[in-house]
């Protein structure tokens, strides 16, 4: 049964959670002018990776990423799946820890950090245990409820902009290329992209719609970066950890039930990030269950979530979170590039082998 609609919504809202969560601050910090250029670079790189990845997966229509690598032996499977597993675990830890820190600062300043982390881990673990179908249905529900509000908030966010701050439009030196913040803006992209290779045995989808969704992300990326810049200016916006959320605080809307729109927007992001975390947990369990088939997935989920909780408690503060994100960037790029190229290469070889046998 074709479930392209659910898969596309899952792809979109996981990326939206990442885009509005961490990317604006990193893009703004990466350059002082022409911010649309690094944004376009991120979108183009993402689109290329998705295109090549989809092309490779198309050669194995009824297999997931794990079975593709296992086809070529345990050594090959270990070489590619071990970094993927490590990357997923790191992303899960960083997502839970960073989101908990932000919730503590903005929403629940009196609530212990460990309690917030425990709640986020419990929700994401529960969804992961329930399986892919539950995660996809939740994605549809969250999309129907929250995406209209996102459009509403984005329209309101232009309330206090000063279009003068859009200049200069071009960074002639392309200074962002040498800035680590630009590469940190790719945070989480791999977790939201690689899931397409884990759902093939369970769900069928049209790959062209995924490519269209990858293009649709561009205007959201633009708005998430330029609203803080047009509201505060580059010099001020670059001092904020979450510039878009701070820009939401400048919106004056007396009749809304929330005192601050930023609080409502943060709750929307929290829902998207929770879904993203549950998807990462489900993928990690899929890999671990293949390596340890005698252990039930529910026990793997519980064990992994417990270890993640312990590691999250060991991270002291935000500076350490940003440092780990930077370190994890190298693993993220290695994982994205190696998986994308290898899947396409193995798929191309597989197709040539089929043709040879037919002849």
């Amino acid at each position: 049964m074709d479930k392209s609609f659910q898969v596309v919504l899952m792809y979109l809202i996981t990326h939206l959670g990442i885009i509005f969560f961490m990317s604006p601050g990193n893009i703004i910090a990466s350059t002082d002018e022409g911010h649309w250029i690094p944004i376009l670079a991120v979108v183009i790189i993402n689109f290329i990776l998705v295109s090549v990845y989809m092309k490779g997966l198309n050669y194995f229509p009824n297999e997931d990423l794990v079975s593709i690598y296992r086809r070529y032996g345990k050594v090959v499977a270990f070489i590619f799946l071990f970094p993927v597993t490590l990357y997923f675990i790191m992303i899960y830890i960083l997502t839970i820890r960073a989101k908990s820190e932000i919730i503590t600062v903005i929403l629940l300043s009196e609530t212990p950090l460990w309690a917030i982390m425990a709640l986020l881990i419990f929700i994401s673990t529960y969804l992961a245990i329930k399986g892919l179908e539950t995660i996809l249905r939740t994605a549809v529900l969250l999309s129907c409820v929250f995406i209209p509000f996102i459009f509403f908030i984005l329209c309101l966010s232009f309330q206090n902009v000063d279009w003068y701050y859009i200049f200069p439009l071009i960074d002639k030196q392309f200074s962002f290329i040498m800035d680590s913040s630009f590469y940190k803006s790719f945070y989480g992209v791999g977790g939201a992209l690689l899931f397409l290779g884990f759902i093939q045995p369970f769900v069928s989808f049209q790959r062209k719609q995924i490519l269209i969704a990858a293009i649709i992300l561009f205007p959201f990326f633009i708005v998430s970066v330029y609203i803080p810049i047009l509201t505060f200016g580059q010099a001020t916006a670059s001092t904020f950890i979450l510039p878009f959320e701070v820009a939401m605080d400048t919106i004056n809307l007396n009749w809304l039930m929330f005192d601050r729109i930023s609080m409502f927007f943060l709750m929307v992001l929290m829902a998207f990030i929770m879904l993203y975390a549950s998807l990462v947990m489900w993928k990690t369990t899929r890999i671990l269950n293949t390596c340890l088939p005698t252990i039930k997935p529910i026990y793997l989920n519980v064990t992994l979530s417990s270890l993640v909780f312990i590691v999250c408690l060991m991270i002291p503060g935000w500076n350490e979170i940003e440092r780990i994100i930077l370190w994890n960037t190298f693993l993220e790029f290695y994982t994205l590039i190696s998986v994308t190229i290898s899947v396409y290469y193995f798929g191309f070889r597989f197709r040539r082998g089929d043709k040879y046998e037919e002849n």
Side-chain angles (χ1 to χ4, degrees), residues 165-185:
Y165 288 129
I166 200 173
F167 300 102
L169 287 173
I170 299 178
D171 180 6
K172 297 180 180 179
Q173 297 180 347
F174 292 89
S175 56
F176 66 90
I177 296 177
M178 303 303 296
D179 196 299
S180 60
S181 296
F182 168 70
Y183 300 98
K184 286 164 62 177
S185 66

Side-chain angles (χ1 to χ4, degrees), residues 53-73:
Y53 190 47
M54 290 291 94
K55 184 67 174 178
L57 292 174
N58 194 41
Y59 294 131
F60 305 97
N62 297 315
E63 299 183 52
D64 63 357
L65 202 61
V66 177
S67 60
I68 290 173
Y69 286 132
R70 291 186 64 189
R71 173 190 290 271
Y72 296 94

Side-chain angles (χ1 to χ4, degrees), residues 141-323:
L141 176 62
L142 294 180
S143 300
C144 295
V145 174
F146 289 134
I147 286 183
F149 285 102
I150 288 181
F151 281 107
F152 173 69
I153 290 173
L154 293 181
C155 293
L156 291 176
S157 62
F158 287 91
Q159 186 180 91
N160 301 308
V161 301
D162 184 348
W163 293 101
Y164 173 80
Y165 288 129
I166 200 173
F167 300 102
L169 287 173
I170 299 178
D171 180 6
K172 297 180 180 179
Q173 297 180 347
F174 292 89
S175 56
F176 66 90
I177 296 177
M178 303 303 296
D179 196 299
S180 60
S181 296
F182 168 70
Y183 300 98
K184 286 164 62 177
S185 66
F186 285 86
Y187 166 82
V189 170
L193 186 152
L194 295 180
F195 92 95
L196 298 169
F198 285 85
I199 63 177
Q200 285 196 147
F202 313 99
V203 175
S204 60
F205 59 94
Q206 298 179 18
R207 288 157 180 82
K208 290 183 179 180
Q209 295 188 20
I210 299 296
L211 297 178
I212 295 174
I215 298 174
I216 292 175
L217 292 173
F218 180 66
F220 290 100
F221 219 138
I222 287 286
V223 171
S224 71
V225 173
Y226 271 97
I227 288 300
I229 294 174
L230 295 176
T231 303
F232 304 109
Q234 164 63 27
T236 303
S238 61
T239 63
F240 301 135
I241 296 176
L242 299 172
F244 190 85
E245 283 72 13
V246 176
M248 294 297 100
D249 272 336
T250 65
I251 298 175
N252 184 19
L253 199 64
N254 296 327
W255 53 266
L256 194 67
M257 63 181 291
F258 293 91
D259 293 335
R260 295 158 54 194
I261 289 184
S262 60
M263 295 176 63
F264 172 72
F265 188 75
L266 182 64
M267 293 177 64
V268 174
L269 287 187
M270 184 172 66
F272 289 174
I273 291 295
M274 278 298 89
L275 197 64
Y276 172 73
S278 65
L279 185 65
V280 172
M281 171 69 82
W282 177 79
K283 290 183 294 185
T284 307
T285 306
R286 283 277 300 160
I287 298 175
L288 294 176
N289 190 45
T290 303
C291 301
L292 305 168
T294 57
I295 303 178
K296 294 182 178 180
I298 186 173
Y299 297 140
L300 292 174
N301 276 292
V302 173
T303 303
L304 181 59
S305 60
S306 301
L307 292 175
V308 167
F309 179 69
I310 294 173
V311 174
C312 287
L313 290 175
M314 297 172 63
I315 302 176
W318 188 260
N319 291 332
E320 287 73 21
I321 293 173
E322 289 193 327
R323 190 177 298 114

Side-chain angles (χ1 to χ4, degrees), residues 3-230:
K3 294 189 177 181
S4 299
F5 181 69
Q6 293 183 2
V7 175
V8 168
L9 286 180
M10 186 72 198
Y11 181 85
L12 283 175
I13 66 174
T14 50
H15 275 84
L16 288 179
I18 295 168
I19 288 173
F20 289 107
F21 180 40
M22 295 291 289
S23 296
N26 290 322
I27 290 293
I28 293 172
S30 68
T31 182
D32 295 330
E33 53 191 23
H35 298 83
W36 65 272
I37 299 177
I39 293 173
L40 184 61
V42 171
V43 172
I44 290 176
I45 292 173
N46 185 51
F47 184 81
I48 292 173
L49 289 172
V50 173
S51 301
V52 177
Y53 190 47
M54 290 291 94
K55 184 67 174 178
L57 292 174
N58 194 41
Y59 294 131
F60 305 97
N62 297 315
E63 299 183 52
D64 63 357
L65 202 61
V66 177
S67 60
I68 290 173
Y69 286 132
R70 291 186 64 189
R71 173 190 290 271
Y72 296 94
K74 294 182 179 179
V75 175
V76 172
F78 177 81
I79 291 174
F80 289 104
L81 291 178
F82 178 74
V84 171
T85 306
L86 183 61
Y87 167 68
F88 285 162
I89 294 174
M90 290 297 297
I91 282 293
Y92 188 71
I93 292 171
L94 290 170
T95 299
I96 296 296
R97 184 61 178 82
K99 193 65 175 178
S100 301
E101 186 89 17
I102 293 169
I103 292 174
T104 301
V105 172
I106 298 180
L107 290 178
L108 305 172
S109 57
E110 301 298 326
T111 305
L113 185 63
W114 66 265
I116 298 175
M117 291 190 297
L119 176 62
L120 298 183
I121 290 175
F122 173 78
I123 295 173
S124 58
T125 303
Y126 174 77
L127 288 174
I129 291 173
K130 297 300 290 184
L132 180 63
E133 290 289 336
T134 300
I135 295 175
L136 291 178
R137 286 196 296 267
T138 306
V140 175
L141 176 62
L142 294 180
S143 300
C144 295
V145 174
F146 289 134
I147 286 183
F149 285 102
I150 288 181
F151 281 107
F152 173 69
I153 290 173
L154 293 181
C155 293
L156 291 176
S157 62
F158 287 91
Q159 186 180 91
N160 301 308
V161 301
D162 184 348
W163 293 101
Y164 173 80
Y165 288 129
I166 200 173
F167 300 102
L169 287 173
I170 299 178
D171 180 6
K172 297 180 180 179
Q173 297 180 347
F174 292 89
S175 56
F176 66 90
I177 296 177
M178 303 303 296
D179 196 299
S180 60
S181 296
F182 168 70
Y183 300 98
K184 286 164 62 177
S185 66
F186 285 86
Y187 166 82
V189 170
L193 186 152
L194 295 180
F195 92 95
L196 298 169
F198 285 85
I199 63 177
Q200 285 196 147
F202 313 99
V203 175
S204 60
F205 59 94
Q206 298 179 18
R207 288 157 180 82
K208 290 183 179 180
Q209 295 188 20
I210 299 296
L211 297 178
I212 295 174
I215 298 174
I216 292 175
L217 292 173
F218 180 66
F220 290 100
F221 219 138
I222 287 286
V223 171
S224 71
V225 173
Y226 271 97
I227 288 300
I229 294 174
L230 295 176

